[in-house]
Amino acid sequence: MTDEPLLRVSGLSKFYGSRIGCENVTFDLWPGEVLAVVGESGSGKTTLLNCLSTRLLPSSGTASYRMRDGQFRELYRMSEAERRFLMRTDWGFVHQNPADGLRMTVSAGANVGERLMAVGDRHYGKIRATAVDWLSRVEIDEDRIDDEPRAFSGGMRQRLQIARNLVTGPRLVFMDEPTGGLDVSVQARLLDLLRGLVTDLGLAAIVVTHDLAVARLLSQRMMVMKDGRVVESGLTDRVLDDPRAPYTQLLVSSILQV
Amino acid sequence: MTDIATYNFAYLDEQTKRMIRRAILKGIAIPGYQVPFASREMPMPYGWGTGGVQVTASIIGPDDVLKVIDQGADDTTNAVSIRAFFRKVANVAVTTDTATATIIQTRHRIPEHPLSAGQVLVYQVPIPEPLRFLEPRETETRKMHALEEYGLMHVKLYEDIAKHGRIATTYAYPVKVEGRYVMDPSPTPKFDNPKMHRSPALQLFGAGREKRIYAVPPFTDVVSLDFEDHPFEVQTFDQPCALCAAENVYLDEVILDDHGGHMFVCSDTDHCEKRRADGHRGHLAPESHLAPGKMEPAQ
Amino acid sequence: MPTPLVVSDVAKSFTMHLRDGIKLPVVAGVSFSIRAGECAVLGGPSGAGKSSILKMLYGNYAVDEGQIIVQHEGGLIDLANASPRTVLAVRRQTIGYVSQFLRTVPRVSALDVVAEPLVERGEERESAREKARALLAQLNLPEKLWALPPATFSGGEQQRVNIARGFITEHPVLLLDEPTASLDAKNRDVVVALIAEKKAAGVALLGIFHDQDVRDAVADRIIDVTSFAAGKIAA
């Protein structure tokens, strides 16, 4: 375990005119830690995720990231080129809709290999071998490697998106409702896969979800957001088993029991 | 020569030519970078070389000698029309001879005869953006060029190998210019790519519909993209030109009859004719084409 | 040897915001300590707050007042005010917990469920599995079940997986929340033996056992939770 966090976020706010996207969010994320951000739609969790992943610039606040050389860099002071480089090497972003994170008209193998080629890999055979390996890790048959994701089911597409993101060995992965829109059985398989990959690779992850079961299964820590503010945070099982804030109690009590 | 009084020299007005020249100069200053320009309506449809024509019109002077080729041929409709156009609107000398031309406007070929310093090759370009087929957003492709994010180009080549076992792209084969910008060399066969590398001639590219101009200055590195284990290769032909017996040139297939008869001949008509005039003779060359006394013994 | 766990003046209540913010006091003035090699048992009627105390000690419930001092990696940590990250580290290295129910994860085999805490502590997966096999055999879980995810197991089978998972590591503190509730006599005896092994190894154990026989067999001491009834202090 490292003594320093991977990501330090302090006083992060994003306003849309006079409307609040998210306000005064502060937390540290350590290597290997999975943080769930929960809340209903409009709670600001996606705004927060987009700010953290630098897809959106915040109105105020700072976020610094510990680069591979051990130096902290202020994310919002980096050049766009540096941020984009980070995004396709040391970070991953798993979109709710796989079509947003995949190239639907190129093969599964090329989808996985793209990040490798982007960082300069120029050996077709090695790129393909890596793609085969990653497809198997996300439980996609090797013989689908030359198929386009258009021919894949929703669950397969999501798994392909995950492989595409993880192929460069990122240290931090952002996930926006990674199991949203999937059948329950497909969800379970995906969650289990994600959980295994996160553990095996020691990934840090920030997972935005409205599904408390997803949060419980994937994350160690949790932040509950309402109206752009963090109303409660702590260990995931503590927040879910002993919710303190009125809104968290409402969320937890609203879970349907099966 | 036709009376040109009713036209401004070379058809375009001076302000337009000035604007285009500035785009050209910027293009030369940043080899391979696509410079936007205010493309004008020309008296021909898009797709017929409006970009190339505007570039030619902006650089041509009364002393220039113009050659126009379409897929290597001086005698196809497009080439003949554009040549006639400039003879009419600029009153310039025209030629089919590669060596004596000062400006060569081309659609999809580079002449076989090596170009020399002082010559300008003007390419007609349909789609200037090499990243376009994989990334439809112009905002994104411009950013990718700016940040030198070219992984996507190799995705295209990867797909080729995955589907065909080799890089099957045979024309518009992407190149990297002076180690910086990835450029579409226009739909020339990849056979011509090596000719672009460190060419003594100035190469200008005009895309009229897409409103882009780009350039490769003389003696600039132009390197075709490839993989370590699938290196760039040009097309090879297993027989020489049927008319002039030239080898190591780009050949077109010509259908001779309804029974499957065909022959492969030089796509560069000027090159082929010159060789035949010099007495070279392919296996299907008619006798009459040969100058007396220069006949080569049959091989 | 320092005392691995000291609880002093801990209080806990629930505020029910959805019911007009009424406050339900649970316990107050909870104070006790557990020595290494000792098994203490929380006693008292149900509803007295035994489970809540265990959950606070594991960081699963928040603590309103007081301190929970744990000997962790050579230092002392107050769990009542520790950061989530510290609580996780304490759970990984210092305090183990066997709950009444197994929270199953889809598609993970019983063997890996049991081996996981060791793997998290950095042990090689194969040697962790080896230890898991030994424990599951000791707990008489049929070998044909080992490779299956426990979700479809019977209550007793799940409980044994859960116990194996809790006992496989060498945590110096072990919390047991009715680990024998759904076990037959034979397996209860196995658990009693396992607890004896832990005591011999110097582990501090704190448990809730409703089964009188098991309690008598393992308890060195009963901590009467009724003395921590919140009303007494609050009144």
Side-chain angles (χ1 to χ4, degrees):
Chain A
M1 201 148 54
T2 331
D3 284 344
E4 281 188 299
L6 193 60
L7 182 68
R8 283 182 176 145
V9 180
S10 175
L12 205 67
S13 299
K14 173 70 183 176
F15 301 101
Y16 300 102
S18 60
R19 269 193 321 113
I20 296 171
C22 63
E23 190 174 18
N24 202 19
V25 178
T26 300
F27 68 91
D28 287 343
L29 185 76
W30 269 270
E33 202 172 43
V34 179
L35 172 72
V37 182
V38 303
E40 53 201 27
S41 0
S43 63
K45 55 191 196 302
T46 298
T47 296
L48 175 65
L49 191 75
N50 285 337
C51 284
L52 294 174
S53 58
T54 72
R55 294 153 58 82
L56 199 63
L57 285 183
S59 309
S60 62
T62 60
S64 36
Y65 180 72
R66 186 157 54 81
M67 309 291 280
R68 286 184 192 236
D69 63 4
Q71 298 298 307
F72 275 95
R73 294 286 311 276
E74 172 57 53
L75 290 180
Y76 309 118
R77 288 176 194 272
M78 284 178 154
S79 71
E80 184 171 17
E82 289 174 305
R83 288 202 301 262
R84 284 172 68 114
F85 183 74
L86 202 56
M87 198 58 157
R88 60 173 192 264
T89 54
D90 214 20
W91 289 4
F93 197 109
V94 177
H95 296 262
Q96 174 174 9
N97 179 1
D100 294 339
L102 290 173
R103 290 193 192 281
M104 298 302 280
T105 55
V106 306
S107 68
N111 263 291
V112 176
E114 181 177 346
R115 277 168 75 121
L116 297 173
M117 295 183 246
V119 294
D121 277 19
R122 291 292 178 266
H123 193 284
Y124 173 83
K126 288 178 191 162
I127 293 166
R128 195 164 170 90
T130 309
V132 166
D133 176 44
W134 268 99
L135 289 179
S136 77
R137 291 173 84 161
V138 298
E139 301 168 12
I140 295 174
D141 278 346
E142 186 181 335
D143 62 9
R144 303 300 302 269
I145 189 170
D146 294 327
D147 292 348
E148 293 176 5
R150 284 190 294 198
F152 286 5
S153 68
M156 274 175 83
R157 288 179 186 184
Q158 198 57 296
R159 280 180 274 135
L160 179 62
Q161 192 190 183
I162 288 162
R164 172 178 160 91
N165 271 285
L166 297 188
V167 68
T168 50
R171 295 185 302 157
L172 174 59
V173 179
F174 301 96
M175 303 188 205
D176 188 5
E177 305 275 9
T179 60
L182 298 177
D183 291 343
V184 182
S185 59
V186 178
Q187 258 193 37
R189 183 178 182 189
L190 187 76
L191 279 174
D192 172 43
L193 180 81
L194 270 177
R195 195 174 166 277
L197 287 172
V198 164
T199 315
D200 292 349
L201 304 171
L203 289 178
I206 298 177
V207 184
V208 157
T209 179
H210 66 276
D211 187 337
L212 297 181
V214 169
R216 185 178 298 260
L217 203 57
L218 282 185
S219 71
Q220 294 100 41
R221 274 173 60 206
M222 190 162 138
M223 291 199 311
V224 182
M225 293 190 72
K226 183 182 189 332
D227 299 334
R229 295 182 186 90
V230 176
V231 293
E232 182 161 5
S233 64
L235 278 182
T236 299
D237 61 279
R238 205 282 293 153
V239 173
L240 292 176
D241 294 341
D242 181 16
R244 316 278 279 174
Y247 179 69
T248 317
Q249 292 188 354
L250 177 67
L251 267 189
V252 171
S253 69
S254 309
I255 302 175
L256 294 175
Q257 301 292 329
V258 187
Chain B
M1 288 293 168
T2 323
D3 176 26
I4 62 161
T6 51
Y7 290 98
N8 194 47
F9 180 76
Y11 186 77
L12 293 174
D13 65 274
E14 296 307 314
Q15 286 305 315
T16 296
K17 284 188 282 191
R18 204 165 107 105
M19 175 270 294
I20 292 174
R21 286 172 195 145
R22 292 169 82 139
I24 291 170
L25 286 173
K26 183 168 180 180
I28 292 169
I30 316 170
Y33 171 71
Q34 300 167 49
V35 185
F37 79 109
S39 178
R40 299 296 196 246
E41 292 291 324
M42 298 301 286
M44 60 185 74
Y46 288 132
W48 286 70
T50 54
V53 166
Q54 288 179 81
V55 169
T56 299
S58 303
I59 60 169
I60 202 164
D63 300 333
D64 273 311
V65 180
L66 179 69
K67 169 182 164 81
V68 181
I69 52 174
D70 177 358
Q71 312 243 16
D74 293 273
D75 55 1
T76 55
T77 313
N78 197 227
V80 169
S81 311
I82 292 173
R83 209 159 53 225
F85 174 76
F86 279 110
R87 197 164 52 193
K88 185 168 186 177
V89 301
N91 200 17
V92 292
V94 295
T95 183
T96 59
D97 177 26
T98 300
T100 55
T102 56
I103 298 173
I104 303 166
Q105 181 171 330
T106 175
R107 175 174 174 269
H108 311 352
R109 266 318 302 280
I110 298 175
E112 304 291 356
H113 188 276
L115 300 178
S116 53
Q119 287 186 304
V120 183
L121 188 59
V122 177
Y123 296 76
Q124 300 169 200
V125 181
I127 297 168
E129 179 49 73
L131 300 164
R132 178 63 68 236
F133 289 105
L134 293 156
E135 178 49 70
R137 293 167 295 180
E138 175 74 10
T139 48
E140 186 64 17
T141 54
R142 294 185 81 165
K143 202 166 272 179
M144 291 160 85
H145 282 295
L147 302 177
E148 220 177 326
E149 290 182 6
Y150 290 132
L152 204 49
M153 265 347 295
H154 277 86
V155 169
K156 187 164 180 274
L157 301 180
Y158 171 97
E159 289 287 84
D160 260 11
I161 303 173
K163 288 199 176 90
H164 308 290
R166 65 196 157 80
I167 298 178
T169 301
T170 52
Y171 63 93
Y173 191 104
V175 292
K176 196 162 208 182
V177 181
E178 203 65 8
R180 176 58 180 85
Y181 283 94
V182 165
M183 184 185 93
D184 183 334
S186 86
T188 51
K190 66 178 176 182
F191 180 87
D192 286 339
N193 274 21
K195 295 180 195 164
M196 307 180 77
H197 180 59
R198 304 198 66 77
S199 168
L202 169 64
Q203 303 173 73
L204 302 176
F205 300 78
R209 183 184 53 212
E210 303 291 324
K211 304 176 174 57
R212 293 289 184 275
I213 284 171
Y214 50 102
V216 175
F219 305 107
T220 299
D221 285 347
V222 178
V223 179
S224 303
L225 303 182
D226 61 3
F227 286 102
E228 288 159 16
D229 48 344
H230 287 268
F232 172 78
E233 287 170 346
V234 298
Q235 295 101 324
T236 53
F237 299 89
D238 50 16
Q239 49 187 303
C241 169
L243 296 178
C244 77
E247 293 178 349
N248 301 318
V249 295
Y250 193 73
L251 301 180
D252 284 338
E253 185 182 12
V254 176
I255 305 296
L256 298 174
D257 52 40
D258 291 344
H259 314 292
H262 65 134
M263 64 175 180
F264 286 95
V265 297
C266 286
S267 121
D268 184 336
T269 52
D270 173 58
H271 183 72
C272 197
E273 279 164 19
K274 288 222 167 54
R275 277 181 57 85
R276 277 180 278 151
D278 286 347
H280 298 284
R281 178 179 169 280
H283 71 283
L284 289 175
E287 291 295 319
S288 59
H289 274 245
L290 295 170
K294 282 190 173 183
M295 206 168 100
E296 281 184 350
Q299 291 165 10
Chain C
M1 196 170 188
T3 311
L5 183 66
V6 178
V7 182
S8 60
D9 263 333
V10 163
K12 168 74 186 166
S13 64
F14 291 111
T15 305
M16 314 299 278
H17 292 284
L18 303 180
R19 289 166 58 197
D20 301 324
I22 59 164
K23 202 168 172 184
L24 299 178
V26 182
V27 288
V30 181
S31 299
F32 60 84
S33 60
I34 316 279
R35 288 187 305 277
E38 170 188 49
C39 180
V41 172
L42 294 173
S46 62
K50 300 188 296 290
S51 267
S52 295
I53 292 175
L54 277 195
K55 285 177 174 169
M56 283 190 283
L57 298 187
Y58 197 57
N60 181 229
Y61 276 5
V63 175
D64 295 350
E65 289 171 27
Q67 290 182 314
I68 297 168
I69 306 295
V70 189
Q71 184 80 32
H72 173 66
E73 292 188 330
L76 295 177
I77 280 177
D78 178 9
L79 264 190
N81 292 298
S83 70
R85 188 171 129 81
T86 307
V87 176
L88 288 173
V90 167
R91 286 181 184 181
R92 194 161 42 241
Q93 299 299 343
T94 305
I95 301 184
Y97 183 75
V98 181
S99 63
Q100 285 183 57
F101 304 106
L102 178 67
R103 197 176 282 283
T104 58
V105 175
R107 295 207 307 165
V108 179
S109 71
L111 193 66
D112 281 338
V113 168
V114 175
E116 192 183 27
L118 279 183
V119 175
E120 276 178 11
R121 285 159 70 102
E123 184 143 349
E124 286 295 319
R125 189 168 290 278
E126 230 2 87
S127 80
R129 280 183 180 151
E130 202 43 59
K131 290 178 184 166
R133 281 186 200 103
L135 261 178
L136 288 174
Q138 200 177 346
L139 284 157
N140 303 305
L141 189 78
E143 194 169 341
K144 62 178 194 290
L145 296 180
W146 296 0
L148 302 176
T152 53
F153 291 7
S154 73
E157 287 160 352
Q158 289 198 4
Q159 181 69 301
R160 278 177 275 162
V161 172
N162 208 18
I163 290 165
R165 180 180 160 90
F167 277 83
I168 196 168
T169 55
E170 287 162 8
H171 284 99
V173 178
L174 197 54
L175 309 175
L176 308 167
D177 191 353
E178 299 210 40
T180 56
S182 32
L183 297 186
D184 57 25
K186 188 171 78 171
N187 285 311
R188 272 202 300 272
D189 292 344
V190 175
V191 174
V192 170
L194 285 173
I195 291 173
E197 278 174 35
K198 287 286 179 194
K199 287 199 318 196
V203 174
L205 295 108
L206 177 67
I208 302 171
F209 296 94
H210 281 164
D211 187 310
Q212 185 71 45
D213 295 343
V214 177
R215 189 162 45 190
D216 293 346
V218 301
D220 294 311
R221 178 159 70 96
I222 306 283
I223 297 167
D224 184 7
V225 173
T226 51
S227 64
F228 307 137
K232 280 187 186 170
I233 308 283

